[in-house]
Amino acid sequence: MLSSAPMAMRAAARRAVRSSPSITTAPSSNRCVVGLTNVRSLSSARSARPIVHRAVSGIASQQRRGIAATTNPNPPLGKKNASNDVPSRIGLIGARGYTGQALVELLNNHPYMDLRHVSSRELAGQELQGYSKRKITYENLDAEAVLQLDSEVDCWIMALPNGVCKPFVDILNQGEKKSLIVDLSADYRFDDSWTYGLPELKKRSDICQSSRISNPGCYSTGSQLGIGALLDHIDRNKTINVFGVSGYSGAGTKPSPKNDVKLLHDNLIAYSLTGHIHEREVAHSLGLGQGEVALMPHVSSWFRGIHLTISIPLKEVMDSRTIRQIYQDRYAGEKLVKVVGEAPMVKDIAGKHHVEIGGFAVDSTGKRVVVAATIDNLSKGAATQCLQNMNLALGYAEYEGIPVA
Ligand SMILES: NC(=O)C1=CN([C@@H]2O[C@H](COP(=O)(O)OP(=O)(O)OC[C@H]3O[C@@H](n4cnc5c(N)ncnc54)[C@H](OP(=O)(O)O)[C@@H]3O)[C@@H](O)[C@H]2O)C=CC1
Ligand SMILES: CC(=O)N[C@@H](CCC(=O)OP(=O)(O)O)C(=O)O
């Protein structure tokens, strides 16, 4: 919950901070140093203590919020710095959808984030349910309206279908204030001016300093974490095959055969068996060539959770134990990746925030391993990863507000 101080008092405090004559712009040369220090702090925060108040405060995020760098840019863990009393103000575009709902739930439990605006064309005028920190009414916000509200928001989350959020991004790009934008769609995942927010495999320091974060989706995140640890051992002349089955929430709320519960009953539907956009995304992001990864997606009758069976060709003979150890070493300390022995089950991952990787069955040649991974498409496949990225970019401890099992 947010602090119990009345809203008016906190608003006055925020105005005071913003209008402070002592506010200056930190020299750009400081940014990288602070960013790197942040990353070190984050690692120690992860291993050292469960509760970290706004222990790291990214210069980039302070500048976005009009707050000067403090003289001590890296305050001790557990101590608040000057900006800590001011929760980050969040706008959620596409709040009616499945990922939007998952984000509302997470933000409701985040100690330093304050949801301010939620948009839905269908629910405009209705009260947002499941958010207890304040009363919020759904608004129908177009791009112009979002720009008008930008001064009241530190971070916009775009939880819109693919191909819809460009006008919002374009208009915010024109504005002077560079609020953080995290986009859940696939629209900017190949755009080099955006940061691809997969913390476990990319540079956290880049995410910390970014104001445009493209959030990888469910198949992409599960596949990359399932393959990424073995990159140095893959036979690049052969194809990595990923057989995936998703729960139907992966298809969103817009009615289609892929979320038709009647059609899915006792059924499994294969779709986009070649050329799915996430196939290209996985290869691109892992630094592999087109055609090196084959993704075969399916959807079935459960609501949330994805199972991925990944067959990886190896360039040398390896055994199961060695491979499992490679995964354990690669993901040591990562709270949202669990390496297990047996192939994980999709029923165990629903509602959880991590990815589980196991199986590690090596065939009789010793040159092919089959790895199984499970991920909740709405959590680590979308909302949890979004919050992880927001925490990093807004200067909070990476797992703040994320129930880590
Ligand atoms: N579902 C999943 O498991 C995952 C989804 N994603 C990605 O996240 C994004 C959101 O997915 P999801 O929550 O499932 O989608 P939903 O279909 O459940 O929700 C879409 C949301 O966008 C709004 N919306 C739809 N069309 C428009 C439009 N033209 N203009 C403005 N608002 C619109 C809808 O509200 P309203 O119609 O009321 O305005 C709704 O709130 C997608 O890009 C998806 O690819 C990523 C990972 C996993
Ligand atoms: C069952 C189903 O339809 N799933 C979606 C994947 C959802 C997802 O991964 O979202 P991103 O598109 O943002 O990555 C699909 O195949 O397009």
Side-chain angles (χ1 to χ4, degrees), residues 162 184-186 189 217-220 246-247 250-251 258 271 276 278 299:
N162 290 336
L184 270 66
S185 82
R189 296 190 196 150
C218 43
Y219 283 120
S220 324
S246 174
K258 289 193 290 170
Y271 65 98
H276 193 292
H278 305 327
V299 60

Side-chain angles (χ1 to χ4, degrees), residues 377-398:
N377 49 299
L378 299 180
S379 301
K380 180 63 175 159
T384 302
Q385 185 138 273
C386 175
L387 191 61
Q388 208 180 346
N389 284 317
M390 287 166 66
N391 278 333
L392 289 169
L394 291 168
Y396 302 103
E398 181 172 348

Side-chain angles (χ1 to χ4, degrees), residues 78-117:
K79 293 253 170 75
K80 290 181 170 188
N81 72 18
S83 62
N84 277 350
D85 295 331
V86 187
S88 294
R89 302 157 305 171
I90 313 300
L92 175 56
I93 309 298
R96 175 184 64 79
Y98 287 137
T99 59
Q101 290 172 47
L103 274 155
V104 169
E105 191 180 330
L106 283 170
L107 292 170
N108 192 39
N109 292 310
H110 196 292
Y112 312 118
M113 290 193 195
D114 187 12
L115 195 49
R116 291 299 181 90
H117 296 281

